[in-house]
Amino acid sequence: MSGAAKVVHGRLFQTSDEVDFVIVGSGAAGGVLARELSVAGFTVVVLEQGPRIESEEFRHDEWAYTNNGELSWGTKQGHPQTYRRTEADTAEPRDALSYAHNVGGSSVHFAANYWRFRDIDFRERSLIGPIEGANVADWPIGYDDLEPYYSRVDWEIGVSGLAGPWDPRRSRDYPCAPMPVKSPGVLLERGGRALGYQAYPAPVAILSEPHNDRAPCAHCGFCWGFGCEYGAKSSTLVAMIPQAEATGRCEIRTLSTVHRVETDAAGRATGVVYWDADGVEHRQQARAVILAANGAETPRLLLLSESSRFPDGLANSSGMVGRNLMFNGWSWTVGQFEQPVNAYRGIPATRVIHDFYTIDPALGFYGGGGIDSRCAADGTPIAFADYAIPPDGPQWGAEYAASLKELFTHTAAFVGHTTSLPVSTNSVSLDPTLKDRWGRPALRTTYADHPHDARTMQFFEARAEEIMEAAGATRVWGANGSDWDPTSQHLLGTCRMGDDPASSVVDRYHRAHDVPNLFICDGSSLVSSGRGQPTMTIQALAFRAGEYIAEAAGRGEV
């Protein structure tokens, strides 16, 4: 069945109907699970708290999307958050967590970088040992367990790239050739080559050529933070959900905000309670519940689902729900060049360097990641003016305007994407006083970078500066995440998987240890952060989980 399958959207089930599965969230994982289970013959209702925006409805509107957050979920939409650095601090109002509210979730407006994890990411505890102040653990699965599902992501989601010696081992080549290199990629290659580093084509979930009846990229430049009006970016909105709906067994129910998972006297999930757009409460019955709402909303929902049987929150006998929040570190280095670079054109990144995937332990700290090449912001002028201008340049007036005109077309950025260690006190929890528009406790983030993460970001900033100078930049400036208030779209680790119910929330197949017919599959399941680009791994896990859940349900084990 092709990704271009068309169906008439509409109501398939009543809330009184007991469907096989209710899935909370339609993003990177939820969209895959909906497709897998409906194609396998099961009835599925997907509850999405946001609207459905079709490809042709997306706009090149920087003010609406970047500044007003029309595609994101936070204070402006009536969903405030609070943040504190440590558990001893008082939480202050601030949106530290950034994520989407639309069918397809953040896969609609992400930058679409699709790096596979490697062996080290699954076996950090075994290979490097304990790290003071971090809750490092091995995954219950390894790279070889996930490799076939990485290949499914390549081919069924749609990834463009080039297999080579820089890749972890793979069973199948990419379905689409790499995207054409753009000028920042050429500069990264030039600077990297001068220093002995290997820049290679960045694998991206954007089509370089027709694939699965979808059109290729038109190189409009509006990727990061924007929906793709061509359907070339491989969001679940275009790659998975149409196939799920075409089965006639999957309903995508929008503007549906879930606030509780219900359980029976035996401790089994019976369905979910949600509000529709008018604030009317409904109950959707299901034989099994799957949470794929992201690494913030999933633990929040579990904590809101406390009961006399689950007094600390649903599936939380380990006390690990909401704990071990990981963000991924980052750094960005901007270089100015004599000739126009025009880095805003085309997709965000076309080249990446992974020579520092794991930093030499002799440096005294653990970490690693990659450096890719981009526009010096998100490719749009307002964002560039907001945070990408040099700190020693004019900040106002005619000189500022002239500087912006020059810098926007004559700069490129080399961006570091790095590890984030799991720290048990870094968490998502329920704020005791602040409420959202529905009256639910607001999300409260407790987060501080582990010292190793801060040093890793500083290391990558320094390497990027060296590469930028080797590429011929006349002026270089930059920053890293340890210099900014923590914020992230990568929300990982808050319901980690593991074999031991005392130290994890779900097993290796994403089944909750405490509730046999509850599954959790999104960024919250990850045990480690990887090296800065987790979405491909989240989707590979979803393909694997979908296969297992369908087989187990067929045997009557769900």
Side-chain angles (χ1 to χ4, degrees):
M1 186 180 299
S2 76
K6 299 293 184 182
V7 298
V8 177
H9 313 310
R11 197 68 174 252
L12 293 177
F13 309 103
Q14 300 302 312
T15 55
S16 57
D17 296 334
E18 184 183 52
V19 296
D20 294 319
F21 296 96
V22 59
I23 301 174
V24 182
S26 63
V32 169
L33 288 160
R35 200 288 295 267
E36 289 296 280
L37 294 171
S38 58
V39 168
F42 298 100
T43 54
V44 178
V45 168
V46 179
L47 297 175
E48 169 56 53
Q49 62 187 352
R52 184 172 189 144
I53 308 171
E54 300 295 353
S55 296
E56 61 272 14
E57 299 175 292
F58 289 115
R59 315 190 304 278
H60 291 174
D61 190 335
E62 181 185 5
W63 186 258
Y65 291 167
T66 304
N67 294 78
N68 285 343
E70 287 188 12
L71 295 179
S72 60
W73 203 246
T75 299
K76 290 182 178 179
Q77 292 78 29
H79 299 275
Q81 304 173 24
T82 62
Y83 166 78
R84 59 185 182 174
R85 181 176 173 81
T86 72
E87 292 178 339
D89 297 330
T90 301
E92 302 291 341
R94 187 168 78 78
D95 292 357
L97 312 174
S98 176
Y99 50 93
H101 70 288
N102 47 261
V103 174
S106 295
S107 73
V108 167
H109 55 85
F110 62 178
N113 291 290
Y114 265 39
W115 305 352
R116 295 185 178 203
F117 282 15
R118 304 186 184 186
D119 289 284
I120 179 65
D121 298 303
F122 297 95
R123 301 181 56 222
E124 286 178 332
R125 181 58 186 262
S126 294
L127 295 175
I128 66 174
I131 296 176
E132 184 178 358
N135 188 14
V136 181
D138 286 346
W139 292 57
I141 62 175
Y143 177 81
D144 288 334
D145 295 307
L146 207 54
E147 195 286 326
Y149 305 97
Y150 277 129
S151 290
R152 288 195 64 188
V153 175
D154 283 337
W155 283 83
E156 298 187 43
I157 295 294
V159 180
S160 301
L162 179 67
W166 46 77
D167 255 345
R169 55 194 175 277
R170 58 168 51 242
S171 58
R172 199 174 182 189
D173 202 348
Y174 290 97
C176 300
M179 296 294 287
V181 64
K182 55 190 272 186
S183 51
V186 173
L187 294 172
L188 186 69
E189 285 185 331
R190 178 191 299 170
R193 187 182 307 113
L195 297 175
Y197 306 139
Q198 171 72 63
Y200 68 94
V204 294
I206 301 172
L207 301 184
S208 63
E209 57 191 87
H211 179 68
N212 287 347
D213 294 331
R214 289 170 39 219
C217 177
H219 304 281
C220 70
F222 286 84
C223 293
W224 189 9
F226 296 84
C228 179
E229 66 265 44
Y230 306 104
K233 192 194 299 187
S234 298
S235 66
T236 55
L237 173 67
V238 297
M240 290 284 104
I241 288 169
Q243 296 184 39
E245 291 176 310
T247 66
R249 291 183 289 270
C250 178
E251 177 188 339
I252 310 296
R253 199 172 296 167
T254 60
L255 303 175
S256 300
T257 303
V258 179
H259 66 92
R260 187 173 184 84
V261 178
E262 292 198 317
T263 53
D264 61 18
R268 292 179 62 86
T270 58
V272 301
V273 183
Y274 71 95
W275 293 294
D276 66 18
D278 298 320
V280 178
E281 187 176 83
H282 303 273
R283 286 171 171 78
Q284 178 59 59
Q285 299 183 79
R287 295 180 180 87
V289 174
I290 301 175
L291 302 185
N294 76 40
E297 291 288 1
T298 287
R300 180 194 200 186
L301 185 52
L302 293 171
L303 295 172
L304 288 170
S305 301
E306 52 79 29
S307 64
S308 58
R309 187 182 182 96
F310 302 103
D312 298 318
L314 187 62
N316 196 27
S317 64
S318 64
M320 299 292 279
V321 169
R323 297 282 180 179
N324 302 301
L325 175 65
M326 297 174 287
F327 274 176
N328 284 131
W330 62 271
S331 63
W332 60 269
T333 300
V334 182
Q336 183 176 356
F337 294 84
E338 291 184 359
Q339 300 299 318
V341 178
N342 295 324
Y344 61 88
R345 295 176 177 171
I347 70 168
T350 60
R351 290 294 183 272
V352 62
I353 287 174
H354 271 135
D355 290 72
F356 314 109
Y357 198 85
T358 300
I359 294 172
D360 187 345
L363 293 174
F365 59 96
Y366 175 75
I371 298 173
D372 66 21
S373 51
R374 305 183 177 206
C375 178
D378 60 5
T380 51
I382 297 176
F384 183 92
D386 185 33
Y387 64 85
I389 59 175
D392 58 350
Q395 305 293 311
W396 189 253
E399 290 184 357
Y400 172 70
S403 174
L404 280 181
K405 183 177 180 180
E406 172 76 9
L407 290 171
F408 187 66
T409 56
H410 285 69
T411 55
F414 295 165
V415 182
H417 309 271
T418 53
T419 42
S420 176
L421 288 169
V423 176
S424 61
T425 52
N426 286 345
S427 66
V428 172
S429 57
L430 304 179
D431 192 274
T433 56
L434 186 65
K435 308 293 184 183
D436 71 2
R437 66 187 291 253
W438 299 109
R440 300 178 300 173
L443 281 165
R444 179 179 63 182
T445 302
T446 304
Y447 186 89
D449 289 318
H450 189 279
H452 287 217
D453 297 333
R455 293 184 67 183
T456 298
M457 287 184 269
Q458 293 159 7
F459 174 90
F460 270 76
E461 183 184 358
R463 300 292 78 72
E465 288 179 357
E466 294 169 353
I467 299 169
M468 191 68 77
E469 290 170 353
T474 58
R475 181 167 54 155
V476 178
W477 63 94
N480 62 74
S482 64
D483 299 329
W484 294 50
D485 288 334
T487 184
S488 186
Q489 299 83 28
H490 298 178
L491 312 175
L492 312 173
T494 49
C495 297
R496 65 162 51 169
M497 65 158 61
D499 291 332
D500 184 358
S503 59
S504 59
V505 179
V506 297
D507 68 13
R508 63 180 58 207
Y509 295 108
H510 300 268
R511 190 195 295 258
H513 291 301
D514 299 347
V515 184
N517 66 335
L518 173 67
F519 297 85
I520 299 167
C521 186
D522 52 27
S524 67
S525 308
L526 272 62
V527 182
S528 60
S529 71
R531 265 59 178 172
Q533 301 297 343
T535 308
M536 188 179 202
T537 296
I538 291 170
Q539 292 196 310
L541 290 168
F543 274 112
R544 182 175 178 271
E547 181 179 276
Y548 168 79
I549 294 168
E551 291 175 353
R555 297 191 298 266
E557 297 173 1
V558 172

